[in-house]
Amino acid sequence: MTVVPVRVTLLTQRACTYCEHAKVVLARVGQDFDISIDEVSLQSDEGRSLASRHGVMFAPGVLLDGRAFSYGRLSERKLRKELSRFRVAHDPR
C-alpha cells in the first residue's frame, strides 16, 4: 500500500517570528505524520494569489492539501488533530 503524504503549503514572509515557529512545528509534526512541505513567499505572485484565494490575512498561512487550515501562530495540537483526521479518512481499511 502506498501512503500519499499530506501536502502542506506554508505561506511565509521575511522577518516573521510566527513563520519560524511554524517551521519548527512542522518539522516536529513531520516526525509523526507523512507530510510534504512547500514554502511559498507571500511576496511572490503565487503567494499573494494563494493568500487571496484562501482568505489568509497574514503570515504564516497553512494550507493542507490545497485547503485553508490556519494563519497566524500555528497550533501544533490543532494541526496534529487535523492530520489524524486525514489519516483516518485516507485509511483504505
Side-chain angles (χ1 to χ4, degrees):
M1 173 179 79
T2 303
V3 176
V4 177
V6 175
R7 186 173 42 99
V8 178
T9 305
L10 180 61
L11 302 173
T12 61
Q13 66 185 28
R14 281 176 266 153
C16 170
T17 56
Y18 285 159
C19 297
E20 295 307 315
H21 168 78
K23 291 175 190 179
V24 170
V25 168
L26 289 169
R28 200 166 36 234
V29 168
Q31 295 174 4
D32 299 322
F33 292 91
D34 194 10
I35 61 175
S36 67
I37 304 166
D38 295 313
E39 186 175 341
V40 179
S41 170
L42 284 168
Q43 284 75 37
S44 70
D45 289 340
E46 179 186 11
R48 284 190 295 276
S49 175
L50 287 169
S52 176
R53 191 172 334 130
H54 295 285
V56 174
M57 305 301 271
F58 48 86
V62 177
L63 310 177
L64 300 179
D65 279 348
R67 293 187 160 168
F69 173 69
S70 72
Y71 60 86
R73 189 174 194 284
L74 179 60
S75 166
E76 182 171 342
R77 182 174 175 219
K78 182 179 168 187
L79 178 60
R80 286 179 179 278
K81 188 173 182 179
E82 186 64 17
L83 289 172
S84 291
R85 288 185 187 131
F86 270 81
R87 189 181 276 168
V88 170
H90 294 93
D91 188 352
R93 287 184 262 157

